[in-house]
Amino acid sequence: MTGHEAQEQFVALLRERFGVAEIPDGNYPLIDARHHFELARVLKEEFDYRIYSFVVASHHLATADANNDGADVEAAHYEVATGVRCVGAPAHLASWRVRIELDRAIPTLFPLFAGADWQEREQYDLVGVRFDGHPDLRRLMMPEDWEGHPLRKDYAIDTACSPWR
Amino acid sequence: MLTRAARVDPHLDLETYDPGADLMALNLGPQHPSTHGVFRIKLYLDGEIIVKAVPYAGYLHRGVEKLCEELTFIQIIPVVDKNDYVSPMMNEQAIAMTCEAMLNIEVPRRALYMRTIFAELQRLASHLLWLGTFGMDLGGAMGGGASLFMHCFRERETILALFEEVTGCRFHYNTHAVGGNRHDITSKFSRDTKTTIEVIEKRIEEYVQIFSSNRIYRDRTQGVGVLDGDLAVSLGITGPLARASGVDHDLRRDAPYHIYGELDVNVFTESAGDCFARTLVRLNEMRESIRIVREIIDSVPEGPILGMRPGKSPTHIKIGAGQHYTCLESPRGELGTYIIGGGDNRGASAYRLKIRSPSLHAASCIPYVFPGHTVSDAIAILGTLDPIMGEVDR
Amino acid sequence: MTSLLHGLIWGLVIATVLLTVAVFSIWFERKFAARMQSRYGPTLVGPAGVLQLIADALKMLQKEDIIPQKADPVLFRLAPPCTVIITLAAAAVIPFDENVLAADLDIGVLFLLAVSGLIVFPVWIAGWASNNKYALLGAMRAVAQGISYEIPLVLSAMVPVVLAQSMRLSDIVSVQAETHWFAFWPLGPGLIAFLIFFICSLAEANRIPFDIPEAESELVGGVTTEYGGMRFGLLWIAEYLHTLISSAVAAAIFFGGWDGPFAPGLHWMVLKTFAIFFMIFWIRWSLVRFRSDQLMALCWTYLLPLSLLLVMVSALFVHYRVVNA
C-alpha cells in the first residue's frame, strides 16, 4: 500500500464512519469531540495504526467581533491535534483535530496508547486542557506547585516567577 | 527476586504492594553521574531490586515552545539546535522541513544531498557519543568505561572537525535554513569525509568485538531491560529502541524524505529487546551510516543550495493560518515538528510550535521497564534508552 | 625495649616507604591510563607531571572539612584513618629481602590474611556512618563482597603454605629460592592458585571489575559519597596501599619474592611487585564492572570450589613427595 492509498483509506473511513464531510487537502480534519476516542480505537484495532505519534494542544482566545454583526465570533477554545502512525511501509500518519470549550474535557487515549500518559500530562501542564479518565493528570514539565499554564495565549512570556522556593 | 509481569503497572500503589517489604526510596538524580543530564527517577527499592520507578522530567525545561511563538522562523533555528544537543542538525532539519512543506518551497537537489550527508554523519557522531557514555555507565568514569569513552570521542571529534570545515561550528551549527542550506560543501570536504569514515569504520569493528566477545559486557547487557515491541509502539517509541524490540519501522525507508527515497536503506532489527540488542542495532546503524555517506558523497549534484531568495529581514518568512506536521528519523527515533501558522507579526512567528521529541517517549518507558531489576541494571537500561534531556524537557 | 624500638623504626620505614610508593603509583596509573586512552595525563606539574600528586594532596589538605549533620560524629571521623592503619599493619610480614622484614612471624600468612580481613570493617563503617542511602548501599555491597571473596583468598593462599609446609613468609620464599617458584611448579595448582589469589585481591581492594562498593556511575560515590578533602584522600590511598600490599604478597608467595639471579633480592621483589601491580592497572582501565549478583555467583560457584580442590591437590602433591623430595 502506498502513502497515497493509505491517505485515501483514511479519508474514506472519516467520511463513512464518522460523517466528516470537509477534509482540507486531506489532512488534519476537524472531528467532533465525541468521536475522538472511537476514531483512535478504530485506527488502532482495525487498521493497525499502533505507533502513537503526537498530541498537540493549543489555546485559542475568543476572536473579536470584527464586523460588529455577531458573525465571525468564536468562543475561546482548545484545539487538540492527535497523530497516530502505522508500523512499517508506508508509515502513514493519520492525524485529526478536535475543538473543545475551555471548561470541557476531552477523553484520554491512555487505554489505547500507553504513550498518552505523559504526552497528555504535558499538554495539560503547558496549555491547561483536561483529559477525562486520565489515571494521573498532574504536571510534567513545570514544578508541581506552579500556577498557570505557560503556553496559553493569556500567559505572558515574561510573567514574574520566583525560582527559589 | 521479583518475577516480572507481562506488563508492569506503572501506577503501582505501594500502600497495598507488600506490607512485609521494607521499601527504601532512593532518588536517582537530578545530580547523578549517570542520568544523562538533569533527570530524576525516584526508585522504590526492596533491597537492591526496584519495585517502582517514578521519573520526574522538567529539570531542563527552558520554555522553547513558548519562545518559538515570540521569535521568527529564522531566529528559531539556532534555538532548537539546543533541544537534541547531541545531534543538532536533526532539530534544524525538522523545523526547516515543516516550514518548507507549509510554504510549498522546493529544496534544491544539492541541498537535499547535503542534508542527507549531514544527517548520516550526525547519526554516526550521536551513536559514538552514546557508545562512550554507555561504557561509562557500565564501568565507571575511573575504569574501562572511560577508555571506551575516550576512544569514541576521539572518533567523534574527527566528525565534528568535518562539520567545522563546512559551517564554522563544531556544535550548534545554524546551517539549515527554510528552503535549503546556508553553507556549501567543497571537494575538500568530500575528500576529508572519505578519509574520516575509512578510519571510523575500522574502529567500529573493534567496538563490535568488545561488545560481542567480552564476557562482562554481555553479562551486564543480555537479558537486561527487555522492552516489549507492542508496548514500545504504544508508548510512541521509535528508532533503535523499537527496532531492537522487533518493530520493523524506519522513516528513512518507509516514509522517505531528503533523498532517502533513491537510496536503499538497510534497517536492522533484533528481537530480544534487551540492552544487548539495542547495542547491536546502534552499532549496525553506525555501519549503515558510513555506507550511505560513502555511496552519495561523490555524487552531490551542482546547483544552488537555497530554494528561495534569501531575505534581508528576520520576518521575511511568513506562514499563514494552517497546520502541518513533518518528521524525520533522528538517532533516537521520530523527531517531528507540528506548526500552527498565523502567529504574531502577520505570520512571521508560529502560533503554536510543538517539537515531538523521541527522548520523551523513550523516558516514559522507565516505569514499565525498571521494576524487577537492580540499581546497576537501571543505570545500564537508562544508558541504552539514550534520553537527551534537552529534548525531553525542551 | 629493643623489640619496641625495632618495631617503631620498622613501622616508620614501612609506613613512609609504602605511602610514598602508593602516591607515586597513582601518578603512574594516571599516565598509564591516559596513554591507553590516547591522551597524555598529567604533564604540567613537575617533569612529566610527577609532582601532580603532591599538588593534589596539598589541595585535598586545604579543603573544607564537611561533615553531614546527621552522620555519626565518632565513626564518620574514625573510619578513614582506620583503613590506612589496618592496611599498613598487614605489611609488617612482607619479606623484602633475605632477613629484611619487620616481623618474621611463625604465623605470617595467617596474620596477613586475618588483618586483611579486618579492612572490610572501616569501609563498612564509613558507609554506615555517613547516613546516606547511596553510602549504605555501597557499604552493604562492600561487606557482601569483602567477606565472600575472603574465603577463596585464604584457600588459595593456603596452596603455597601447604607446598612449603610453613606459614612463615620467609620460609615460603626460601623454599621457592631453593626449588621452584610455586606459580610454575607444580604446574597447574600453583598458577591457578595465583590467578584465584589475584582475582580475590582485586575484589578485596575494590578494584574494577569488582568496585561495586564505590560504583561511581551507579552510586555516585558509594561508600565515599559524603567524604571530601583529606578524609576521602585517606580512603583513596588505602585502596592503593591494599592493592600494592596484595601484589607484594602475591609476588612473595607465588613468584619467589626476592629470589632471582644477578641482582640483589630487593630489586627482584620490587620488580615482581610492580609487574603484578601493572597487570592490575591494565585490567582496571580495560574492563567494566560486574553486577553484584554476578559477582557473588563468580565467587561462590566458581572460585570457592576450585580453590578447595587446589588445596587438596597440593596436599596430595606434598604427600606423595612430588614437591620437597
Side-chain angles (χ1 to χ4, degrees), chain B residues 25-28 32-34 48 137-140 142-144 147 150-151 154 214 216-217 219-220 376-377, chain C residues 36-39 133-134 136-137 141 208-209 216-218 220 284-292 294:
Chain B
L26 181 71
N27 258 326
L28 210 67
H32 189 99
S34 304
E48 269 219 30
D137 286 342
L138 284 184
M142 302 280 282
S147 302
M150 287 291 165
H151 294 148
R154 181 188 54 190
N214 189 307
I216 306 183
Y217 272 111
D219 273 347
R220 285 297 297 275
S376 325
D377 289 336
Chain C
M36 270 182 79
Q37 298 171 357
S38 303
R39 56 186 179 92
K133 285 175 189 164
Y134 285 118
L136 179 67
L137 274 175
R141 288 175 170 187
I208 286 183
E216 191 191 303
S217 56
E218 299 160 22
V220 187
R284 177 190 197 174
W285 292 97
S286 322
L287 296 178
V288 295
R289 75 172 65 91
F290 280 109
R291 205 173 59 202
S292 27
Q294 294 163 351

Side-chain angles (χ1 to χ4, degrees), chain B residues 46-155:
Chain B
D46 182 2
E48 269 219 30
I49 310 285
I50 300 171
V51 167
K52 183 174 175 185
V54 182
Y56 293 84
Y59 284 89
L60 197 52
H61 181 68
R62 296 161 289 184
V64 169
E65 293 178 358
K66 184 81 179 178
L67 191 59
C68 288
E69 292 172 17
E70 306 282 318
L71 299 173
T72 68
F73 288 104
I74 308 221
Q75 292 169 325
I76 63 178
I77 299 230
V79 169
V80 298
D81 252 342
K82 281 78 177 172
N83 281 347
D84 181 356
Y85 43 71
V86 164
S87 47
M89 295 267 191
M90 302 303 197
N91 306 309
E92 296 177 7
Q93 288 184 5
I95 298 275
M97 280 164 67
T98 313
C99 294
E100 284 149 15
M102 290 181 88
L103 292 172
N104 268 321
I105 297 173
E106 195 184 320
V107 180
R109 295 273 298 169
R110 185 174 173 85
L112 285 178
Y113 268 81
M114 279 166 58
R115 283 187 178 182
T116 315
I117 294 171
F118 289 159
E120 290 308 311
L121 283 176
Q122 189 71 87
R123 192 184 315 274
L124 187 58
S126 170
H127 284 331
L128 278 170
L129 185 143
W130 165 79
L131 189 60
T133 51
F134 183 52
M136 286 234 290
D137 286 342
L138 284 184
M142 302 280 282
S147 302
L148 184 60
F149 177 80
M150 287 291 165
H151 294 148
C152 289
F153 267 67
R154 181 188 54 190
E155 266 68 276

Side-chain angles (χ1 to χ4, degrees), chain C residues 23-65:
Chain C
V23 163
F24 277 96
S25 73
I26 302 179
W27 167 79
F28 179 69
E29 175 166 32
R30 283 171 68 164
K31 292 295 269 188
F32 175 65
R35 289 290 169 165
M36 270 182 79
Q37 298 171 357
S38 303
R39 56 186 179 92
Y40 287 112
T43 51
L44 294 176
V45 189
V50 166
L51 300 179
Q52 179 72 47
L53 266 302
I54 312 285
D56 284 344
L58 286 173
K59 178 200 78 168
M60 272 197 231
L61 277 170
Q62 50 96 45
K63 280 207 186 249
E64 182 184 349
D65 185 19

Side-chain angles (χ1 to χ4, degrees), chain B residues 70 80 117 210 213 237 245 282 292 296 309 356 361:
Chain B
E70 306 282 318
V80 298
I117 294 171
I210 289 177
S213 62
I237 294 178
S245 301
R282 288 195 176 103
I292 293 176
I296 58 175
R309 209 161 43 86
R356 191 268 186 201
H361 293 261

Side-chain angles (χ1 to χ4, degrees), chain B residues 256-318:
Chain B
Y257 51 96
H258 297 337
I259 55 158
Y260 287 114
E262 300 160 30
L263 304 172
D264 261 324
V265 180
N266 297 322
V267 174
F268 298 94
T269 56
E270 301 277 331
S271 53
D274 57 10
C275 292
F276 192 64
R278 293 178 209 135
T279 313
L280 287 179
V281 168
R282 288 195 176 103
L283 286 169
N284 281 324
E285 278 189 13
M286 281 201 258
R287 287 171 170 149
E288 182 64 16
S289 294
I290 291 181
R291 193 193 65 81
I292 293 176
V293 172
R294 191 178 278 138
E295 191 178 321
I296 58 175
I297 188 74
D298 280 328
S299 39
V300 179
E302 300 297 324
I305 54 170
L306 202 59
M308 53 187 283
R309 209 161 43 86
K312 294 260 166 61
S313 84
T315 56
H316 85 280
I317 297 198
K318 288 178 158 51

